Amino acid sequence: MSRGGGGRWGSVSVELVMAECAGCHGVCGFWKRVEGPEERRLLELFSYGLMALGAGSALLLCFIPMPYGRYSTRRFGSLLPARVAWALQELPSLLVPIGLAACGGEAIAAPANRVLLGCFVLHYAHRALIFPLLIREGKPTPFVTFVLALLFCIFNGYLQGRSLSNYATYPPGWLKDPRFITGFIGWLLGMAINIHSDHILRNLRKPGETGYKIPRGGMFEYVSGANFFGEILEWFGFALACGTTESLAFALCTLFILGSRARQHHQWYLEKFEDYPKDRKIVIPFLY
């Protein structure tokens, strides 16, 4: 009888060991093995690198227009359909964080982490799955631009997803903290401005019309880059709600790159339209 009982327990033990080993050799097993202080330090270094990337890109964009949209050119590779390129390049920022969260982690069980990661995922669900379907005859995207955007989304998807799934910790009641509430409102308002501004841009031309027009309405009454302002506000709100180095790095990188692109748009509008509103700022209402 004791041998029979030992056999049953032995069988269960073998099954548990086999299941654990199977997990160790899977994708989630890899992420569990690399988790620890060294990866935490790596995320911090990546965050500083993201800030430097944004600053360097802003400097480069002072001399070279961002090669997509109205500045699209074949000098940066073969041209890809706008809808396809946009959906594929944004998709990693949706799928990578979801995959990391699915693999589990001590942090992702907390309500605050789930809400914050949900904010990030919701933005990219719209950008990857909905926004491309709304594009109307968008200018083709150069292949080099597409690849750079794709790599950025993979990198940032890992940075934000891993931070919130495994390392970011919050005190009890963080969802009621003024910092979270203020940041969440900024995130929500910024996303709404971004979506509304894109709607205005899509509807500037009636069916059959070509050429460019001056955007009016919404935040375009205050800045030339209203859609960019919305996204900048969104990610600074997210950074305040998260309180992490990773989220701040993303917000600063967004400010550097979209601020530079807004400046290019503003100058382009001034040169193309004699009646362009002279009191309209570039990207920050009343300031810049």
Side-chain angles (χ1 to χ4, degrees):
M1 184 174 179
S2 61
R3 285 198 301 267
R8 285 195 297 272
W9 284 112
S11 176
V12 171
S13 299
V14 170
E15 290 176 359
L16 289 174
V17 171
M18 291 179 65
E20 183 177 352
C21 290
C24 290
H25 292 294
V27 174
C28 291
F30 167 78
W31 290 114
K32 291 182 184 300
R33 289 196 302 274
V34 301
E35 181 179 0
E38 291 184 358
E39 188 192 26
R40 186 71 191 92
R41 178 57 178 162
L42 183 64
L43 290 176
E44 292 180 359
L45 293 176
F46 279 169
S47 297
Y48 299 136
L50 187 60
M51 297 179 199
L53 174 66
S57 298
L59 181 62
L60 182 63
L61 291 174
C62 291
F63 307 98
I64 302 175
M66 181 76 78
Y68 74 91
R70 69 190 64 175
Y71 312 109
S72 183
T73 171
R74 289 185 178 275
R75 290 191 305 164
F76 291 88
S78 302
L79 300 180
L80 305 176
R83 286 183 175 181
V84 174
W86 192 275
L88 292 179
Q89 73 188 30
E90 301 288 310
L91 201 56
S93 283
L94 171 63
L95 298 182
V96 171
I98 291 177
L100 291 171
C103 285
E106 293 184 4
I108 197 57
N113 295 64
R114 293 187 177 188
V115 171
L116 291 166
L117 189 61
C119 291
F120 185 84
V121 167
L122 181 61
H123 171 90
Y124 280 102
H126 174 263
R127 299 303 277 181
L129 304 178
I130 299 175
F131 179 78
L133 299 178
L134 300 176
I135 295 176
R136 295 182 179 180
E137 300 179 359
K139 293 291 183 67
T141 302
F143 182 74
V144 172
T145 304
F146 163 74
V147 171
L148 292 176
L150 177 68
L151 293 176
F152 175 84
C153 286
I154 294 173
F155 175 79
N156 192 50
Y158 162 71
L159 196 63
Q160 307 305 324
R162 191 65 169 168
S163 171
L164 290 171
S165 295
N166 295 75
Y167 298 106
T169 57
Y170 300 96
W174 178 252
L175 295 180
K176 297 180 181 180
D177 189 283
R179 289 166 292 181
F180 171 82
I181 294 173
T182 303
F184 180 78
I185 292 173
W187 171 83
L188 187 62
L189 182 60
M191 186 171 181
I193 292 173
N194 180 253
I195 292 174
H196 181 249
S197 300
D198 283 338
H199 172 75
I200 291 175
L201 291 174
R202 280 194 303 272
N203 290 278
L204 282 177
R205 291 189 293 264
K206 297 179 181 179
E209 288 185 334
T210 58
Y212 289 93
K213 294 183 178 181
I214 298 175
R216 301 186 185 278
M219 290 305 298
F220 281 111
E221 296 300 318
Y222 302 95
V223 293
S224 297
N227 50 334
F228 300 140
F229 167 69
E231 192 158 354
I232 290 169
L233 175 61
E234 181 181 358
W235 294 124
F236 270 94
F238 179 75
L240 179 60
C242 286
T244 62
T245 304
E246 293 81 5
S247 59
L248 177 60
F250 181 33
L252 289 172
C253 185
T254 300
L255 174 64
F256 287 139
I257 294 177
L258 295 189
S260 298
R261 185 156 170 79
R263 182 184 56 79
Q264 292 174 350
H265 276 20
H266 185 74
Q267 187 61 38
W268 184 88
Y269 280 127
L270 289 173
E271 294 174 357
K272 189 171 182 64
F273 299 102
E274 294 182 359
D275 59 338
Y276 192 74
K278 299 299 186 292
D279 60 340
R280 191 176 290 187
K281 296 297 184 179
I282 296 175
V283 70
I284 307 296
F286 311 112
L287 296 177
Y288 174 75

